[in-house]
Amino acid sequence: MTTAELKAANAQYLWHPMAHPKAMQQTPPDIIARGEGSWIWDIDGHKMIDGVGGLWSANLGFGRKDIRDAIVEQLDELAFYNTFRGTTHPRAIELSARLVKLMEPDGVTSVFFSNGGSDAVEGALKLARQYWKLKGQGDRTKYISLRMGYHGVHFGGMSVNGNTNFRRNYEPLLPGCFHVDTPWVYRNPYTENPERLAEICAEQLDREISFQGSDTVAAFIAEPVQGSGGVIVPPANYWPLIRKVCDKHGVLLIADEVVTGFGRTGHMFGTRLWGVKADMWCLAKGISSGYVPLGATAISANVAEVFQQGDASLGSVTHGYTYSGHPIAAAAALATLDALEKEDVVGNAARQGDYLMQRLKDLGQRNRLIGDVRGVGLMVCLEMVADKATKASFARGAKEVTEVAREAYRLGAMVRTSGPNIILSPALTISRSEIDVLCDALEGAFKKVAP
Ligand code: PMP
């Protein structure tokens, strides 16, 4: 198709996630045609630094020959076979062993594969309920999660999501899901003291579990750093506190590491950043650097044990997908893990993240539209405000936010907007000079929109 034909066909035929079909006709999306390293080119040949990293996913950047070769070799060897009871294949086995080895310090002994983040969450939620049935505590069916959280779009994940936008069009949701406040330092009705805020929010979880009845709650699920909700980094004492609360009530702790896993925060996993072990981890995106869709639910020894000892029928995992552990995805993931280990990608994310934060904080101080700059590693958010002094928010879809993003695009940086937020999650392999390109473009964009 020609460029013009592609644009017309997109508007006519393609429905996009999280978008109004008509809006896609009126304001057509950017067509990204090529990628190399931290860079992308749109269909008109405009070159940009990819501040979005695919979608928090292209952690090793685009065009990697090692991942490409692993995929091609696997295509030649075995394009697909299933891993349902009775069959398996070498790459899924190798990847499971590799992941368990990587997560051994976290207490992981098994993994269950799927096709993406929503799947990984669904797996964890279902396994949590099954765990309790196996333990003879079948009343433990409820889930508690955080406001502002994002856990994908399946009915389970959507029901524990903490953002009305992702919930109300598809209500009624799964019964038995409850929410507590997230420790959001910039906006909360309680305190400006981060440590105290973490205590208040952990106490809220404690009270909610007691109110529901401890013996009715299966799990608490949260992101170690909330990504889609606006890169909300909890105070350092929050995760250790919620681990304690979960232990007190015997509730399973599920860490949704779909974004934070595999180095995004400058640590291999978000739970390591907080020095906490979860009971299950939801993994996707960076696991295969976004080259092929893949999800995984990692399972700790204490959960796995209960399944191992479980009754033959009750203990069977009657959940899974045709493409659980797809060989092409597993091959891409193995090549990704090789690179993560050999190239100090995680260390680079920490160092470049510090530099990115320093540049953006500086910009934030100088520009009246930037209310808050927050993040950790290479996940960062610029929250735009109508009034810096009062923190008055922009309305959803405010033109200033779109204008900054469009101007940044013109100046050579792709950034993502979400409500009042400009969200950045570039490749973890990004260099300092590439961070400069990204920040220079943003600086220019903010100057243009709010001189
Ligand atoms: N959990 C989290 C924390 C996520 O950020 C996302 C996606 N951004 C998901 C789950 C869902 O992943 P997917 O879109 O691959 O289904």
Side-chain angles (χ1 to χ4, degrees):
M1 283 186 177
T2 64
T3 301
E5 283 167 345
L6 282 170
K7 288 180 179 174
N10 185 80
Q12 195 173 350
Y13 305 121
L14 184 52
W15 279 24
H16 291 257
M18 312 299 175
H20 194 299
K22 207 160 75 192
M24 290 295 94
Q25 290 157 14
Q26 286 154 357
T27 9
D30 304 308
I31 303 179
I32 305 307
R34 194 159 80 79
E36 201 179 307
S38 305
W39 299 88
I40 48 173
W41 285 258
D42 72 13
I43 195 88
D44 300 312
H46 178 56
K47 181 183 177 183
M48 287 161 286
I49 194 89
D50 181 17
V52 182
L55 191 54
W56 323 85
S57 54
N59 288 6
L60 298 176
F62 301 106
R64 295 227 15 161
K65 186 148 179 346
D66 49 353
I67 306 183
R68 177 226 175 256
D69 288 349
I71 290 170
V72 172
E73 262 172 47
Q74 187 57 40
L75 274 171
D76 290 341
E77 188 180 309
L78 177 71
F80 174 67
Y81 216 80
N82 78 75
T83 57
F84 274 49
R85 168 181 41 81
T87 54
T88 184
H89 57 78
R91 290 308 89 73
I93 302 168
E94 287 161 10
L95 181 60
S96 66
R98 189 75 183 270
L99 282 169
V100 167
K101 181 108 191 60
L102 178 68
M103 299 188 78
E104 222 163 35
D106 309 290
V108 168
T109 53
S110 324
V111 285
F112 184 87
F113 289 124
S114 53
N115 308 304
S118 301
D119 284 0
V121 169
E122 199 73 358
L125 295 175
K126 288 176 78 173
L127 291 176
R129 280 192 175 173
Q130 190 176 2
Y131 165 89
W132 288 114
K133 288 190 203 312
L134 284 167
K135 296 231 332 166
Q137 297 184 49
D139 278 354
R140 284 200 185 248
T141 58
K142 295 174 186 169
Y143 303 111
I144 301 182
S145 56
L146 293 180
R147 297 203 172 88
M148 309 301 288
Y150 184 77
H151 302 290
V153 293
H154 292 349
F155 265 100
M158 178 173 57
S159 305
V160 294
N161 271 353
N163 183 326
T164 314
N165 287 324
F166 302 124
R167 299 164 54 87
R168 63 171 302 165
N169 288 340
Y170 307 102
E171 287 174 346
L173 305 177
L174 197 66
C177 297
F178 304 91
H179 295 77
V180 291
D181 281 343
T182 197
W184 185 4
V185 178
Y186 184 63
R187 289 186 192 280
N188 74 79
Y190 308 113
T191 173
E192 287 184 2
N193 177 331
E195 267 188 36
R196 182 65 202 125
L197 178 64
E199 287 166 6
I200 291 168
C201 291
E203 279 161 24
Q204 226 183 69
L205 174 64
D206 189 1
R207 279 206 310 278
E208 184 64 27
I209 296 174
S210 297
F211 171 72
Q212 294 297 334
S214 299
D215 58 343
T216 68
V217 180
F220 171 62
I221 181 169
E223 299 152 87
V225 177
Q226 290 184 317
S228 301
V231 191
I232 299 172
V233 187
N237 57 331
Y238 181 68
W239 271 72
L241 285 172
I242 57 165
R243 176 72 266 186
K244 272 197 199 135
V245 171
C246 287
D247 287 344
K248 175 177 160 193
H249 296 282
V251 166
L252 293 175
L253 173 58
I254 302 172
D256 184 344
E257 297 246 19
V258 168
V259 163
T260 50
F262 304 99
R264 175 68 48 202
T265 67
H267 296 257
M268 187 58 92
F269 295 100
T271 40
R272 286 192 195 170
L273 162 66
W274 303 127
V276 164
K277 291 186 176 73
D279 297 301
M280 283 190 268
W281 286 254
C282 311
L283 308 170
K285 295 189 191 266
I287 192 174
S288 56
S289 199
Y291 277 65
V292 185
L294 179 67
T297 306
I299 300 149
S300 65
N302 56 319
V303 173
E305 220 165 68
V306 171
F307 280 79
Q308 296 287 357
Q309 290 162 6
D311 164 277
S313 64
L314 265 185
S316 285
V317 179
T318 43
H319 171 74
Y321 306 88
T322 298
Y323 299 127
S324 283
H326 194 293
I328 308 298
L334 284 163
T336 297
L337 293 180
D338 278 343
L340 275 179
E341 277 164 24
K342 280 188 208 137
E343 295 171 24
D344 188 28
V345 174
V346 182
N348 188 65
R351 286 187 297 277
Q352 304 308 339
D354 284 348
Y355 179 58
L356 175 64
M357 186 60 85
Q358 184 192 318
R359 277 215 56 179
L360 294 177
K361 286 247 181 210
D362 174 55
L363 170 62
Q365 274 173 1
R366 286 182 282 114
N367 195 281
R368 68 179 160 83
L369 292 184
I370 302 174
D372 192 29
V373 180
R374 54 179 178 261
V376 59
L378 284 171
M379 54 191 298
V380 177
C381 168
L382 299 170
E383 182 175 335
M384 292 178 60
V385 286
D387 184 327
K388 214 162 168 158
T390 63
K391 300 186 185 176
S393 301
F394 278 120
R396 206 173 165 76
K399 73 175 184 1
E400 286 85 347
V401 183
T402 323
E403 278 171 6
V404 167
R406 288 327 297 168
E407 189 59 21
Y409 188 98
R410 207 183 60 75
L411 295 171
M414 173 70 99
V415 300
R416 199 162 83 90
T417 62
S418 171
N421 301 323
I422 304 269
I423 295 188
L424 302 175
S425 52
L428 307 186
T429 47
I430 196 166
S431 68
R432 189 179 164 110
S433 60
E434 289 169 337
I435 296 261
D436 278 328
V437 174
L438 178 58
C439 292
D440 290 347
L442 272 170
E443 180 119 25
F446 273 102
K447 207 176 273 172
K448 173 93 188 279
V449 178

